Amino acid sequence: MTIDTSPGLAARADIAARFERLPVSRWHVTVRLVVGVVTFFEAFDQLLIAYAMPELRQEWHLTDTGTTTVLTVGSIGMLIGALFSGRLADRIGRVKVIALCVAVSGAASLALAACSSVTPFMAL
């Protein structure tokens, strides 16, 4: 077994050690709380749609396939959003992207309440 002693590895170790020594500030705690709350409400959104699905299925005359599609589209949307928001956060900052995502999610949730058919519901 060989040990890598390249300068790049040492620099990365120094940077990681520096981050470990940084004190945790009020700003860090606030950001962590905001991310936790956002994560909770995203999960709550999924549960709420699943809870409302029997009524939506009856009102929109959905088949088993249609019901599965409605539930799956939300997860696919979150996957796509996670992939793009990570790269965007690297460019403009994580806090700005979290604020943008909260605003978009809130607006989309309000628009979901106005949906009267399955097509705009899935688009949102």
Side-chain angles (χ1 to χ4, degrees), residues 2 4 8 12 25 31 38 52 55 60 68 70 84 94 107 113:
T2 61
D4 187 3
R12 282 184 276 170
S25 69
V31 169
V38 168
E55 185 66 31
W60 291 340
T68 302
V70 169
F84 285 114
R94 299 194 183 286

Side-chain angles (χ1 to χ4, degrees), residues 53-64 66-67 117-118:
M53 189 49 67
E55 185 66 31
L56 293 174
R57 182 180 177 157
Q58 187 178 32
E59 187 170 324
W60 291 340
H61 309 291
L62 294 173
T63 63
D64 289 342
T67 303
S117 68
V118 71

Side-chain angles (χ1 to χ4, degrees), residues 11-24 28 32:
R12 282 184 276 170
D14 288 342
I15 292 169
R18 170 71 176 125
F19 277 127
E20 289 295 324
R21 289 191 305 268
L22 288 174
V24 176
H28 293 104
R32 287 182 180 175

Side-chain angles (χ1 to χ4, degrees), residues 74-117:
S75 296
I76 292 170
M78 285 192 289
L79 172 66
I80 292 168
L83 292 173
F84 285 114
S85 64
R87 289 185 182 248
L88 187 61
D90 289 341
R91 289 182 184 251
I92 67 169
R94 299 194 183 286
V95 175
K96 289 179 183 178
V97 170
I98 289 171
L100 178 65
C101 288
V102 168
V104 168
S105 181
S109 293
L110 289 173
L112 282 173
C115 288
S116 59
S117 68

